[in-house]
Amino acid sequence: MNTPLHRKFDMSRRHLIKAAAATGAASLVPGLQSAVYAAGSDKPEKEEVRIGFIPLTDCASVVMASVLGFDKKYGVKLIPTKEASWAGVRDKLVNGELDMAHVLWGLVYGVHLGVSGPKKDMAILMNLNHNGQAITLSKKLADKGAIDGPSLAKLMQADKREYTFAQTFPTGTHAMWLYYWLATYGINPMKDAKIITVPPPQMVANMRVGNMDGYCVGEPWGHRAIMDGIGVTGVTTQDIWKDHPEKALGTTSDFAKKYPNTCRAVIAAVVEAGKWIDASLQNKLKMAETVADKSYVNTGVDAINQRILGRYQNGLGKTWDDPNHMKFYNDGAVSFPYLSDGMWFLTQHKRWGLLKDHPDYLAVAKQVNQIDLYKEGAALAKASVPKELMRTSKLVDGTVWDGKDPKKYADSFAIKASAV
Amino acid sequence: MSSPQALRIVIVAPDTLAADAADPQAAVEAERSRSLRIGMLQNGYNIVAVLPADVFLPDRLAQISPDMIIVDAESQARDTLEHVVVATRDARRPIVLFTNDDDTSHVRDAIAAGVTAYVVAGLAAERVKPVLEVAMARFQHEEALRRELADARTQLSERKLIDRAKGLLMTRHSLSEDEAYARLRKTAMDKGLRLADVAQRILDVADLLG
């Protein structure tokens, strides 16, 4: 159906590769050669890398690294593998069927600490994207006046019944954004609402038949609800936490130890793909065409490209340009696996009772986030690396998270899972 | 629960909500599920329900409370089940996955990692049986370890409570350790309470009165 576009894209892709080869011959390659190929010991130990992904817009940098051939530039071959569920991604990472994956931060940390399943030492090589998720409220709620946090809380107070909200994985990012946002407006997700887990591509269908009042998921499934006229955007996740970490490039600690050169090469390739996506509107549109395909997200291009470009609408006639749309590079700030980002998920796992005791937040983050590997990979891709390992973020409820006192932060929330 | 045939099994079948006629993957998943169900029924397994992988799955599982849940490894319903696993951490039950993966080393790895058991669909029934047996045995073994660990933790924290209460009695009432313990024990016996509960009450009251 969109063959002409693809053909056009193939053309430009060829141009791009040719261009890369041309500049490479002149200046780029000597530097790379010494870094990657010339020294035999720097050669990727494993050249084919099976990398799992879930059909969501934010798998884009992984997919584009492969489609545009950035992987080959660094001496590896990425084999993106479409997965049906986060639990499947986890099991395949743990048993080695997948080498790496586009994966939820909270899932990686959950496995590392043995929350709910077997414990396995895990590794995060980089962050894949900032922003670009949303909480959608059903049209039915909107008709009753619930269109954002405060009005939702008011409606739930006035019109008592069971309210059902969906997220995508119990320890994952969407569960944490949803819980955090509800709690900001005085709704305890553990007591005042029913929370269910629904696979991302099924959110829209379930909302349509009235199985839920709201859901939190990555794009394109937020915008899709608006296109289909069944929901409104209650909040974007960037309005919960501007430039929040979202998906990570995850693997096991064993893999990172055994194949450091491969890890560096994949980091470089994916960072470069992120840089490419963020570089121009043109590139973003090309990315949308590519990942909309059946073999990736399997949806219409129009469901993806609006929000990728920062053109938002809430489904009630309000439109806006969001400068904090989904980003893949942002001068290196996106890709850096900040220790404070990892620790934040632990604080929320503790807050909601997924962790019964306080872990050693900083130690766990240092074990999981492969800062050194990331820095070396980023250097190959000539990406800027932030100086600090922590960053300061202000969240929607006004609290500031800087990673300095995680225990105090985790205990500071008035609304949390009841301690038993 | 000794023989797999006596297990109350629930099978989670492909979701009709998401059924996309043009999606060959979904058709493959449906066929794989169908052949597994037929195979298990023919071999006398007690399938108490075949549930669709929809948003009501957690509720239905809670009602039926099966001994074992079987689901396709490549099903989107895995994440819904994951929710059940996390929500019922204190009442766990084994989840068995089935897959078309011919490479049985993955099956072994998965079981060794304790992830779940993998059953290769289309396997002869006599080969399904040992896998289910291993899954169940492994699950029960892990549950026993888990319980032991939980018990040990409780004992440890109870011991600490009792020690703190003893210390309090010793300083406040100038008792020897033996006397303090004897007094705790007597109170526990008189009131029909556990030693740790008495200790907790003493500490609570001390907190309250400062």
Side-chain angles (χ1 to χ4, degrees):
Chain A
M1 31 173 196
N2 40 18
T3 339
L5 287 175
H6 272 148
R7 206 170 295 145
K8 219 193 303 170
F9 177 44
D10 280 346
M11 289 281 290
S12 55
R13 181 185 155 190
R14 229 169 284 140
H15 281 302
L16 186 115
I17 291 169
K18 233 189 272 171
T23 51
S27 63
L28 242 166
V29 171
L32 264 181
Q33 287 240 323
S34 60
V36 186
Y37 305 114
S41 61
D42 288 347
K43 195 174 181 303
E45 304 89 346
K46 187 174 196 299
E47 285 171 12
E48 279 200 356
V49 182
R50 283 177 65 85
I51 183 160
F53 71 91
I54 294 280
L56 290 164
T57 307
D58 55 24
C59 71
S61 55
V62 166
V63 167
M64 296 315 283
S66 152
V67 171
L68 296 174
F70 292 132
D71 51 352
K72 281 173 208 79
K73 179 172 167 186
Y74 296 99
V76 285
K77 183 176 191 305
L78 293 186
I79 305 170
T81 312
K82 186 167 167 173
E83 299 297 332
S85 70
W86 292 117
V89 167
R90 175 200 56 198
D91 291 357
K92 289 179 184 181
L93 276 177
V94 166
N95 72 26
E97 221 174 299
L98 288 173
D99 297 318
M100 297 179 187
H102 155 252
V103 67
L104 302 159
W105 276 81
L107 182 151
V108 176
Y109 272 82
V111 174
H112 189 82
L113 291 177
V115 175
S116 88
K119 198 166 139 34
K120 172 107 180 165
D121 286 351
M122 299 299 285
I124 280 178
L125 300 177
M126 63 183 284
N127 182 52
L128 289 177
N129 65 298
H130 280 167
N131 311 328
Q133 329 289 303
I135 295 177
T136 301
L137 298 174
S138 76
K139 204 72 201 245
K140 231 182 253 168
L141 282 193
D143 289 344
K144 290 188 175 170
I147 54 164
D148 56 14
S151 54
L152 173 67
K154 213 168 120 196
L155 179 70
M156 286 175 71
Q157 269 299 324
D159 185 5
K160 298 252 184 211
R161 61 170 174 88
E162 187 176 71
Y163 286 83
T164 305
F165 296 96
Q167 37 79 13
T168 61
F169 195 74
T171 58
T173 54
H174 303 108
M176 298 307 129
W177 310 140
L178 178 66
Y179 298 172
Y180 200 99
W181 183 71
L182 289 173
T184 295
Y185 301 101
I187 304 162
N188 187 328
M190 306 292 139
K191 278 195 291 203
D192 307 334
K194 183 180 176 193
I195 303 290
I196 56 176
T197 301
V198 171
Q202 292 179 22
M203 291 288 189
V204 174
N206 273 295
M207 178 96 92
R208 184 176 292 119
V209 297
N211 285 342
M212 56 178 80
D213 296 292
Y215 62 76
C216 182
V217 69
E219 293 300 338
W221 310 116
H223 186 65
R224 185 60 194 267
I226 289 170
M227 288 171 65
D228 292 8
I230 56 159
V232 305
T233 298
V235 71
T236 60
T237 50
Q238 51 265 35
D239 281 348
I240 297 175
W241 174 357
K242 176 179 170 290
D243 292 342
H244 65 78
E246 183 45 46
K247 305 298 184 303
L249 181 61
T251 182
T252 59
S253 166
D254 290 343
F255 188 92
K257 278 188 195 129
K258 200 168 166 196
Y259 306 111
N261 296 341
T262 298
C263 289
R264 275 187 284 264
V266 177
I267 291 168
V270 176
V271 165
E272 190 156 348
K275 217 189 230 183
W276 179 88
I277 295 169
D278 275 9
S280 71
L281 296 185
Q282 199 92 16
N283 290 359
K284 282 177 196 158
L285 290 175
K286 277 181 197 155
M287 176 275 272
E289 280 168 25
T290 308
V291 301
D293 190 79
K294 209 169 199 118
S295 42
Y296 303 113
V297 182
N298 190 15
T299 187
V301 182
D302 44 354
I304 295 181
N305 58 18
Q306 292 299 304
R307 287 195 167 183
I308 271 294
L309 298 173
R311 291 175 196 150
Y312 274 72
Q313 50 176 298
N314 71 345
L316 291 164
K318 185 183 158 199
T319 59
W320 70 98
D321 276 325
D322 194 333
N324 308 314
H325 55 77
M326 188 184 288
K327 287 181 187 157
F328 294 90
Y329 180 63
N330 197 13
D331 198 26
V334 171
S335 345
F336 191 72
Y338 287 101
L339 292 182
S340 52
D341 285 2
M343 288 154 72
W344 186 85
F345 289 101
L346 295 174
T347 66
Q348 300 303 304
H349 287 175
K350 175 67 177 66
R351 177 184 184 186
W352 302 119
L354 293 160
L355 288 170
K356 290 195 171 142
D357 304 305
H358 286 287
D360 186 342
Y361 295 92
L362 184 60
V364 172
K366 281 183 175 166
Q367 282 162 12
V368 174
N369 295 13
Q370 305 294 307
I371 302 279
D372 290 341
L373 276 181
Y374 174 76
K375 282 183 177 167
E376 290 154 7
L380 291 177
K382 303 203 177 346
S384 13
V385 174
K387 282 191 194 70
E388 303 292 335
L389 301 181
M390 308 264 196
R391 59 175 179 151
T392 303
S393 315
K394 189 171 176 185
L395 274 74
V396 62
D397 58 352
T399 57
V400 171
W401 166 240
D402 58 12
K404 287 200 186 98
D405 194 344
K407 207 169 156 182
K408 189 173 155 206
Y409 180 82
D411 285 338
S412 71
F413 297 98
I415 293 181
K416 53 189 166 205
S418 53
V420 179
Chain B
M1 242 192 239
S2 52
S3 121
Q5 271 88 348
L7 294 174
R8 299 174 66 253
I9 294 173
V10 160
I11 291 182
V12 179
D15 189 85
T16 45
L17 250 181
D20 175 359
D23 187 351
Q25 190 88 37
V28 170
E29 202 187 305
E31 178 51 33
R32 202 155 55 201
S33 173
R34 200 179 69 91
S35 66
L36 179 94
R37 268 175 285 161
I38 292 173
M40 293 194 67
L41 285 170
Q42 280 174 343
N43 288 283
Y45 285 93
N46 180 19
I47 299 177
V48 291
V50 178
L51 299 180
D54 60 20
V55 296
F56 305 106
L57 183 60
D59 294 338
R60 294 202 180 101
L61 285 175
Q63 280 166 2
I64 298 169
S65 183
D67 299 318
M68 187 179 265
I69 303 163
I70 300 188
V71 64
D72 194 324
E74 297 302 330
S75 162
Q76 292 183 351
R78 294 281 315 282
D79 288 339
T80 309
L81 280 175
E82 190 63 23
H83 185 87
V84 176
V85 172
V86 173
T88 60
R89 265 192 292 182
D90 302 321
R92 289 159 29 93
R93 55 179 71 92
I95 294 176
V96 172
L97 306 178
F98 62 96
T99 167
N100 251 358
D101 201 336
D102 303 330
D103 184 352
T104 46
S105 70
H106 286 159
V107 177
R108 218 174 21 245
D109 287 349
I111 297 174
V115 173
T116 19
Y118 277 69
V119 179
V120 180
L123 267 190
E126 62 270 22
R127 283 181 64 196
V128 172
K129 195 175 153 203
V131 176
L132 291 189
E133 267 170 2
V134 168
M136 202 62 201
R138 183 165 182 98
F139 177 78
Q140 283 165 346
H141 176 67
E142 272 182 15
E143 281 304 285
L145 286 178
R146 206 177 289 270
R147 258 197 309 278
E148 268 174 38
L149 186 66
D151 286 352
R153 283 211 181 118
T154 319
Q155 273 176 21
L156 193 66
S157 65
E158 288 190 346
R159 172 88 48 86
K160 279 185 189 155
L161 271 182
I162 294 166
D163 282 347
R164 279 175 56 210
K166 232 165 41 180
L168 196 78
L169 289 176
M170 286 161 69
T171 47
R172 297 252 171 126
H173 300 281
S174 327
L175 299 175
S176 74
E177 190 174 351
D178 284 348
E179 287 165 340
Y181 186 74
R183 195 180 287 199
L184 271 176
R185 198 179 47 191
K186 182 166 183 323
T187 311
M189 281 161 71
D190 290 351
K191 309 247 170 187
L193 290 170
R194 292 168 61 245
L195 212 51
D197 295 334
V198 174
Q200 183 67 60
R201 286 182 184 198
I202 288 176
L203 293 168
D204 287 348
V205 169
D207 267 356
L208 187 71
L209 300 179

